[in-house]
Amino acid sequence: GAVVSQHPSRVICKSGTSVKIECRSLDFQATTMFWYRQFPKQSLMLMATSNEGSKATYEQGVEKDKFLINHASLTLSTLTVTSAHPEDSSFYICSARDGGGNREKLFFGSGTQLSVL
Amino acid sequence: AQSVTQLDSQVPVFEEAPVELRCNYSSSVSVYLFWYVQYPNQGLQLLLKYLSGSTLVKGINGFEAEFNKSQTSFHLRKPSVHISDTAEYFCAVQGGSEKLVFGKGTKLTVNP
């Protein structure tokens, strides 16, 4: 089946630094990718939708200058948490929609646990 | 807007026992409904989905779910669980757009 690779799986960084998370579709072209955030014991919350070659669409309350999303190719989207602070510590997970026949399926990465000290 | 409520945050069961994980949703439009499973250190994997048609949906690994429109529920069931079913299960709803709204998840622990 379709595979989405997310890297890194875990990252610890100092407050004020920036962290980049990559999401790759390995065997299909993903015209649309989604970025979610999950706090402990909470739902996955959609942060933004990224479409290849265009600007991402952010959900209400998500700072676009804080969470930079780039979807430069049909197989890669990146999320950069800029000037990270402890409150940004969370589990981030991406998903990709197959632009081919699997329109009804979203494929998820394995997630990134971000800890900001 | 849509919302999803998973009524149980944790469900412990013994191996070979039946299990039901509950999910209720709210929406002002017709919805698609999904159940995803997340095994430790892995991404979300689609278990099953309801798009239209028969309200009883069968998925992978012996799971099934029934869409009940009047009760706005989409409970997940398995008649006999295995140790390997230990995981976190997420119910999700998709309304008029392609955005998924997730519940908080139910952690299923199958004990020997």
Side-chain angles (χ1 to χ4, degrees):
Chain A
V3 175
V4 173
S5 173
Q6 187 172 341
H7 179 79
S9 59
R10 183 177 295 271
V11 59
I12 301 172
C13 69
K14 291 182 179 180
S15 184
T17 61
S18 294
V19 175
K20 180 184 282 188
I21 303 169
E22 292 188 348
C23 181
R24 293 180 185 272
S25 56
L26 297 185
D27 55 0
F28 66 98
Q29 293 185 328
T31 53
T32 305
M33 288 188 174
F34 304 88
W35 287 95
Y36 292 84
R37 180 176 182 176
Q38 184 183 26
F39 292 104
K41 302 186 188 302
Q42 300 293 320
S43 306
L44 284 85
M45 299 297 295
L46 180 65
M47 298 174 65
T49 302
S50 79
N51 295 295
E52 186 267 338
S54 63
K55 290 184 178 180
T57 303
Y58 290 82
E59 295 300 299
Q60 192 173 8
V62 178
E63 300 175 61
K64 60 181 180 181
D65 295 330
K66 175 103 178 135
F67 299 99
L68 300 178
I69 292 173
N70 184 288
H71 193 160
S73 76
L74 285 171
T75 60
L76 174 65
S77 177
T78 60
L79 167 68
T80 301
V81 183
T82 62
S83 187
H85 289 97
E87 58 265 29
D88 298 323
S89 298
S90 188
F91 184 73
Y92 295 85
I93 191 165
C94 70
S95 69
R97 190 184 69 145
D98 190 339
N102 288 318
R103 290 183 60 85
E104 299 159 354
K105 273 192 176 180
L106 292 176
F107 301 95
F108 285 82
S110 55
T112 299
Q113 183 65 53
L114 171 63
S115 300
V116 184
L117 305 178
Chain B
Q2 292 78 43
S3 68
V4 177
T5 302
Q6 288 184 245
L7 297 163
D8 305 298
S9 59
Q10 296 190 56
V11 173
V13 294
F14 287 109
E15 193 173 18
E16 297 183 8
V19 71
E20 178 179 82
L21 305 183
R22 296 179 293 170
C23 173
N24 287 87
Y25 69 93
S26 68
S27 176
S28 57
V29 299
S30 297
V31 297
Y32 296 160
L33 293 156
F34 304 81
W35 274 99
Y36 285 87
V37 60
Q38 185 176 29
Y39 298 105
N41 302 314
Q42 294 186 31
L44 293 174
Q45 180 182 353
L46 181 66
L47 264 182
L48 49 79
K49 61 182 183 287
Y50 171 78
L51 304 179
S52 64
S54 173
T55 57
L56 183 62
V57 180
K58 293 188 183 298
I60 63 172
N61 300 340
F63 284 92
E64 63 180 32
E66 185 156 20
F67 170 57
N68 188 318
K69 189 174 182 180
S70 62
Q71 296 185 6
T72 60
S73 68
F74 191 55
H75 301 332
L76 180 71
R77 302 186 184 100
K78 185 169 182 177
S80 175
V81 294
H82 302 289
I83 299 285
S84 59
D85 292 322
T86 295
E88 187 135 24
Y89 293 79
F90 292 91
C91 181
V93 61
Q94 183 180 17
S97 71
E98 57 186 354
K99 299 174 187 175
L100 279 178
V101 176
F102 286 87
K104 293 183 179 181
T106 297
K107 187 172 183 179
L108 174 65
T109 302
V110 181
N111 298 302

